[in-house]
Amino acid sequence: MAAEIVNPRSDSSTEGAPEEPFDPVFALHRGGKMAIQATVPVRDKDDLSLAYTPGVAKVCTAIAEQPDLVNDYTWKSNVVAVVTDGTAVLGLGDIGPEASLPVMEGKAILFKQFGGVDAVPIALATTNVDEIVETVVRLAPSFGGVNLEDISAPRCFEIERRLQEELDIPVFHDDQHGTAVVTLAALRNAAKLTGRTLGDLRAVISGAGAAGIAIAKFLLAAGIGDVAVADRKGVVSRDREDLTEVKRELAELTNRAGLSGSLESALGGADVFIGVSGGTVPEPAVASMAPGAFVFAMANPNPEIHPDVAHRYAAVVATGRSDYPNQINNVLAFPGIFAGALQVRASRITEGMKIAAANALADVVGDALAADYVIPSPFDERVAPAVTAAVAAAARAEGVARR
């Protein structure tokens, strides 16, 4: 018998009051979006004695004697902790750990559906860097990997770095690297479509937060010609005296052309716009870009450059929205990246593994490459297997695989 769905927004205690319209979003989320499910039956005393005491003691003893056996006889090797402190949740900002849980549950079910990876949401009641690192390190024995999620910059950089140093399992901040992987895949195909290479392109990134900085570094590692990053005060350049330590490092790595001033001025003659900031870019600035430019305006729900405007000037247009072609969506990357890393029990996720993921993702498009199809759909069943295989192979090639 199906359970009755009750509208959580209606006030059932008020007789005669009109019921508010049914809201399918609240109906779907009632009771949460996920649950723990057993993979073995416990039907009788024999099953119980195997799954729990006394049988389980044999497995515990074996793991105590050979710790690596934990990967074979528990769920550890196929489960990821999705960790947040609730400080940078989607476009909602610092809404706290409890309010972040619907997003973390959503992330967990995407891991399962698209990568076959189990994931557990963990929302922490602290924003202190030391406490977050200590907590995750203490939780780590239960997990094969850690996906950091929706932690505000610049704290996210230090948290990820320290966890990568202290743990021997993959630690991956998806807001940074998942976005970067999918962006690179789309950019490779856009360049291929227009007869260019990454080395021919000069990009301008709007947004110097977690995603913008990670994209810039990743594009440089992949061989882009040049990239400049702009924050609210303009282009991040060496001559600015108001930069944080993270942005000073970014200024040393990027902006080989020595640009300064506003984002709009930097777009003059640029080949690529990448938006991960919100706000609106004026149309004249878009018009000043080089012929055959690419516009990847990824802010949600309102892209920095509306697709209708972008199409007037750009050869390829991408957004972060599902209702336009060429959606730059992290779900194209993180399930396969973790699935590949866990498959070979990688100790970490390297730059080479991320580049392999981007290349595999780009290759899925194949001969169907077109201006409105430079990146596959998240529902393309070829995506996760291709990314998983490429990441596993790269892990072996780079010496971080343990099987």
Side-chain angles (χ1 to χ4, degrees):
M1 178 178 178
E4 180 183 3
I5 296 177
V6 179
N7 181 6
R9 297 174 59 191
S10 65
D11 184 0
S12 59
S13 65
T14 306
E15 283 191 36
E19 185 174 343
E20 293 185 35
F22 172 79
D23 189 330
V25 172
F26 279 89
L28 181 143
H29 283 78
R30 180 174 286 281
K33 298 192 293 286
M34 57 184 294
I36 293 175
Q37 180 177 336
T39 60
V40 297
V42 184
R43 298 161 299 196
D44 53 36
K45 65 181 182 64
D46 292 332
D47 288 344
L48 183 60
S49 69
L50 291 173
Y52 199 54
T53 186
V56 73
K58 291 184 179 180
V59 180
C60 294
T61 301
I63 294 171
E65 294 173 352
Q66 300 182 56
D68 284 347
L69 291 178
V70 70
N71 294 295
D72 296 311
Y73 294 108
T74 73
W75 77 342
K76 178 182 172 74
S77 63
N78 194 54
V79 66
V80 170
V82 181
V83 179
T84 189
D85 62 0
T87 55
V89 181
L90 294 179
L92 304 173
D94 186 355
I95 60 175
E98 289 86 358
S100 76
L101 271 176
V103 177
M104 300 309 115
E105 287 183 3
K107 195 82 174 188
I109 65 175
L110 295 180
F111 264 111
K112 188 65 173 180
Q113 177 168 337
F114 293 102
V117 174
D118 291 308
V120 177
I122 298 177
L124 302 179
T126 178
T127 60
N128 179 275
V129 170
D130 291 337
E131 291 178 352
I132 291 172
V133 171
E134 181 182 5
T135 301
V136 175
V137 168
R138 291 181 184 278
L139 289 170
S142 296
F143 298 98
V146 175
N147 182 98
L148 299 174
E149 191 76 18
D150 294 349
I151 300 173
S152 62
R155 297 156 49 258
C156 59
F157 303 116
E158 182 181 356
I159 290 169
E160 182 186 49
R161 176 185 59 78
R162 287 175 56 182
L163 287 174
Q164 288 173 339
E165 291 172 353
E166 294 195 38
L167 299 177
D168 65 348
I169 57 175
V171 177
F172 184 86
H173 185 205
D174 186 49
D175 301 313
Q176 294 183 59
H177 311 299
T179 308
V181 166
V182 183
T183 300
L184 175 58
L187 193 57
R188 278 198 186 282
N189 275 343
K192 179 180 179 181
L193 180 69
T194 56
R196 289 176 281 180
T197 66
L198 286 178
D200 299 323
L201 304 176
R202 177 172 73 84
V204 176
I205 298 174
S206 175
I213 291 174
I215 291 169
K217 291 181 177 180
F218 196 50
L219 293 182
L220 287 171
I224 198 166
D226 194 10
V227 57
V229 182
D231 61 13
R232 291 184 179 88
K233 297 181 180 179
V235 175
V236 175
S237 57
R238 296 180 182 180
D239 60 353
R240 281 180 50 180
E241 298 180 356
D242 61 342
L243 300 179
T244 64
E245 182 179 348
V246 171
K247 290 181 183 179
R248 282 198 299 272
E249 177 192 359
L250 184 67
E252 294 296 324
L253 297 173
T254 61
N255 193 16
R256 295 165 183 161
L259 302 174
S260 60
S262 67
L263 166 71
E264 290 80 5
S265 65
L267 281 176
D271 302 292
V272 185
F273 169 81
I274 297 171
V276 284
S277 65
T280 301
V281 177
E283 184 169 346
V286 185
S288 74
M289 296 179 69
F294 312 142
V295 170
F296 292 3
M298 298 187 285
N300 264 318
N302 300 311
E304 295 88 349
I305 302 170
H306 192 279
D308 292 345
V309 174
H311 279 295
R312 294 172 193 159
Y313 310 101
V316 176
V317 177
T319 72
R321 291 175 50 151
S322 60
D323 54 347
Y324 288 98
N326 296 327
Q327 184 191 18
I328 308 295
N329 191 328
N330 288 21
V331 77
L332 289 162
F334 69 81
I337 290 174
F338 268 100
L342 293 174
Q343 185 181 97
V344 297
R345 296 180 189 164
S347 57
R348 57 193 175 94
I349 295 172
T350 66
E351 287 296 298
M353 291 162 72
K354 291 185 286 186
I355 288 175
N359 292 341
L361 184 53
D363 289 346
V364 169
V365 171
D367 295 337
L369 181 62
D372 61 355
Y373 185 54
V374 297
I375 199 76
S377 163
F379 296 98
D380 188 324
E381 295 182 353
R382 299 172 296 169
V383 168
V387 173
T388 298
V391 169
R396 292 189 178 103
E398 297 206 338
V400 297
R402 288 177 285 199
R403 74 167 183 181

